[in-house]
Amino acid sequence: MRRFLIAGAALLALSSAASADSTSAAAPAAGSSTPIRVGAAAKPAAQPAGAKPAAGARSATPEGEQVAVFQTVCGDIVIRLFDKDAPKTVANFRKLVQSHFYDGTYFHRAVPGFMIQGGDPNTRNADPNDDGEFNIGYTVTAEIKLPHVRGAVATARMPDAINPKRDSSGNQFFIDLAPQSALDRGGYAVFGQVIAGMEAVDAIAKLARDPNVFQGRLGPNPQKKALIKRAYLAPLSLHEKAGAPK
């Protein structure tokens, strides 16, 4: 089964249980260039109750520059969106947030020192084994420009062998926990930056070290301990005093 790829040379301290499933990509040790895979099975998933479709969504959105706010059980994560640098990626992400696509999902992959990853509606069902395998059915044109710094928000994608243009996943995204020069070289589209709530991101990453965490084919999966209760857009002016992630 084809899977979205995140190349990770800077992976740190991943639990050895992440490689327990021989069908999944092994977690590379620090300094390794072994790729980490992210699922992409084309499988529909139910939307949460009361979800609104992207088409025909209400146009009464806040004026001016916006941020995306992810309310998680570990705290709020506020993401500034880079429309000028990644307009197509941001437009798609904003559409999904407005349609409640991410509500009720969770971050299904946590790798301390590297990133946390989410965006899969399969996480709403009772089977964690298919987490990371949902494919929304389209990709977004590659907009690879910005560096991977701590708090950078980027899209997953399929590997170069089957995706030479490096187009982005239409729904899955990840948040960098530290600068990732390997991802700069590998070519992944950064479209946003966490400006508040990195403590929540770090808390989700730490769940990977819980001895009882579910070990999926993609590695540690915090499941509902990393639940996204709600995602919505808000004016940047409400959060503009927030500084760079620490």
Side-chain angles (χ1 to χ4, degrees), residues 65-68 70 79-97 102 118 140-148 151-156 168-176 188-194 233:
E65 188 173 355
Q66 296 175 316
V67 295
F70 278 63
I79 302 170
R80 186 170 188 172
L81 303 174
F82 298 144
D83 294 81
K84 292 183 179 180
D85 295 297
K88 294 178 181 178
T89 308
V90 168
N92 179 67
F93 187 72
R94 184 180 287 116
K95 176 189 70 175
L96 295 180
V97 170
Y102 297 118
V140 179
T141 302
E143 295 177 308
I144 301 166
K145 180 178 181 180
L146 300 174
H148 289 261
V153 185
T155 55
S168 299
S169 164
N171 57 288
Q172 290 200 43
F173 66 95
F174 61 97
I175 302 175
D176 291 315
Y188 294 83
V190 171
F191 65 91
Q193 176 72 41
V194 174
L233 299 177

Side-chain angles (χ1 to χ4, degrees), residues 57-64 66 94 98 233-235:
R58 290 183 297 177
S59 60
T61 56
E63 295 182 0
Q66 296 175 316
R94 184 180 287 116
Q98 287 178 313
L233 299 177

